[in-house]
Amino acid sequence: TKNGLITNPIHISDLIEYLKKILLHTNEAAELDLCGNEILSLRDMINIIATHIGEEPIIESSNNNDEYLCGKCMVTSQVLGYM
């Protein structure tokens, strides 16, 4: 793959805020994807981390297709009142 896994990661501080709101203020049952708003590939995330630590990443690619694992933030945002 050129980019690797493609997903929408969530920062730990955002995850904690989601969990607080769910536990304290949500009375309805719902299936929620706790995910970030930005879709990034594994390659993107590696490059971001490398930039922050001042290193040049060494990335080896395979011939497999990129895989997508993205949450549906729209439903979560509606249930938690972020829309």
Side-chain angles (χ1 to χ4, degrees), residues 34-45:
L34 300 179
C35 51
N37 295 333
E38 187 176 4
I39 295 175
L40 297 170
S41 69
L42 184 56
R43 180 180 294 275
D44 293 334
M45 289 183 266

Side-chain angles (χ1 to χ4, degrees), residues 42-76:
L42 184 56
R43 180 180 294 275
D44 293 334
M45 289 183 266
I46 291 168
N47 286 324
I48 290 168
I49 292 167
T51 298
H52 283 289
I53 64 172
E55 296 288 335
E56 186 68 31
I58 299 170
I59 301 172
E60 294 183 16
S61 299
S62 69
N63 291 326
N64 298 332
N65 292 329
D66 292 336
E67 293 186 39
Y68 290 80
L69 179 62
C70 296
K72 298 174 186 159
C73 297
M74 186 74 77
V75 173
T76 302

Side-chain angles (χ1 to χ4, degrees), residues 3 6 8 12-13 18 20 22 28 31-32 41 45-46 61 69-70 75 80 82:
N3 295 309
I6 297 170
N8 46 346
I12 188 68
S13 62
Y18 272 148
K20 277 193 220 175
I22 290 167
E28 60 186 277
E31 183 178 315
L32 304 174
S41 69
M45 289 183 266
I46 291 168
S61 299
L69 179 62
C70 296
V75 173
L80 297 179
Y82 291 126

